[in-house]
C-alpha cells in the first residue's frame, strides 16, 4: 500500500483540573502507553469490522513498530459569561494549550461559543483528542436549575511539530 503506515495507540493517563471562580480552567494531563503492533490496533479494527459486517482493513502489514509513547498537555480556558433571560446565557471560552511528547507535539488555540442553561457547570463538551478540546470537568454546585443544556460551536487551530502517526517512528 502507498498509504502512511497504520498504527494503534494503547494508552492511559492522569490529569488535574483547577477551576478558578467559574472563570478559568487549568488542565494538566499526562498520557503514556504504547504505539505499534502490541497496542492491538489491527485486532481492534478488524474485530470491529467483523462485528459490523465490513471487510477487514488491508494496511496493517505496514504499521509503525512498537515504541513507548507519552504526551504531556497543559491547557488554559477562560470563560466570558453573559446571562440573558429566564436562566439562559451565552458564554465564550477561548483556550490556549501546548502538548509535548514523542507521540505528538503541538501548540493550540481555540474558541467555543455556547448558548444554553447552567453553562457554569462545565467548560464544554468532552472529546477524545485530536479534536476541539473539551473537558470532563463538571461542577453540580454551579447548576442554575436541575436541568441544563447548551448548543455550541467550536474551532481549534494547531501548529504541529510532531505527530508519530504522520511522521512515523
Amino acid at each position: 500500500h502507498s498509504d502512511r503506515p497504520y498504527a494503534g495507540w494503547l494508552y492511559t493517563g492522569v490529569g488535574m483540573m483547577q477551576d478558578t471562580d467559574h472563570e478559568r480552567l487549568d488542565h494538566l494531563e499526562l498520557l503514556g502507553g504504547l504505539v505499534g503492533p502490541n497496542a492491538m490496533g489491527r485486532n481492534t479494527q478488524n474485530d470491529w469490522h467483523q462485528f459490523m459486517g465490513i471487510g477487514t482493513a488491508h494496511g496493517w502489514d505496514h504499521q509503525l513498530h512498537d515504541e513507548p509513547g507519552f504526551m504531556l498537555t497543559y491547557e488554559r480556558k477562560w470563560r466570558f459569561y453573559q446571562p440573558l433571560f429566564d436562566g439562559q446565557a451565552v458564554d465564550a471560552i477561548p483556550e490556549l494549550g501546548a502538548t509535548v511528547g514523542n507521540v505528538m507535539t503541538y501548540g493550540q488555540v481555540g474558541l467555543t461559543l455556547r448558548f444554553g442553561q447552567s453553562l457554569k457547570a462545565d467548560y464544554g463538551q468532552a472529546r477524545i483528542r485530536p479534536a476541539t478540546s473539551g473537558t470532563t470537568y463538571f461542577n453540580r454546585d454551579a447548576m442554575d436549575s436541575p436541568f441544563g443544556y447548551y448548543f455550541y460551536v467550536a474551532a481549534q487551530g494547531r501548529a504541529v511539530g510532531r505527530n508519530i502517526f504522520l511522521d512515523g517512528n
Side-chain angles (χ1 to χ4, degrees):
H1 293 287
S2 61
D3 282 347
R4 294 184 186 275
Y6 278 35
W9 184 26
L10 180 64
Y11 65 93
T12 188
V14 61
M16 297 183 297
M17 291 183 220
Q18 172 65 50
D19 180 16
T20 305
D21 300 325
H22 307 296
E23 293 178 359
R24 189 181 82 212
L25 184 72
D26 294 290
H27 182 198
L28 181 65
E29 180 179 65
L30 177 63
L31 301 179
L34 180 68
V35 173
N38 285 323
M40 306 292 289
R42 175 195 299 236
N43 303 60
T44 302
Q45 183 180 33
N46 286 332
D47 287 352
W48 183 253
H49 279 204
Q50 182 179 7
F51 174 75
M52 297 298 293
I54 302 170
T56 59
H58 296 289
W60 285 106
D61 290 334
H62 307 283
Q63 65 177 305
L64 299 179
H65 60 72
D66 282 334
E67 180 177 334
F70 77 94
M71 294 186 345
L72 179 65
T73 300
Y74 175 75
E75 295 174 333
R76 176 170 281 179
K77 297 175 181 287
W78 296 267
R79 180 196 324 271
F80 297 96
Y81 177 85
Q82 180 61 50
L84 296 175
F85 55 87
D86 277 342
Q88 307 305 303
V90 295
D91 68 8
I93 304 172
E95 66 179 61
L96 288 174
T99 295
V100 295
N102 67 329
V103 176
M104 290 186 201
T105 297
Y106 59 85
Q108 70 188 48
V109 60
L111 177 66
T112 300
L113 302 172
R114 302 187 305 166
F115 165 82
Q117 182 175 322
S118 295
L119 296 180
K120 288 187 176 183
D122 65 32
Y123 283 84
Q125 71 290 352
R127 298 277 190 203
I128 297 174
R129 287 191 240 323
T132 58
S133 70
T135 70
T136 56
Y137 172 83
F138 181 79
N139 182 343
R140 183 184 181 118
D141 295 335
M143 295 286 290
D144 297 327
S145 69
F147 177 73
Y149 73 93
Y150 58 81
F151 299 96
Y152 73 94
V153 61
Q156 185 181 77
R158 292 186 177 173
V160 179
R162 170 134 177 90
N163 181 332
I164 196 169
F165 307 107
L166 299 177
D167 300 331
N169 294 100

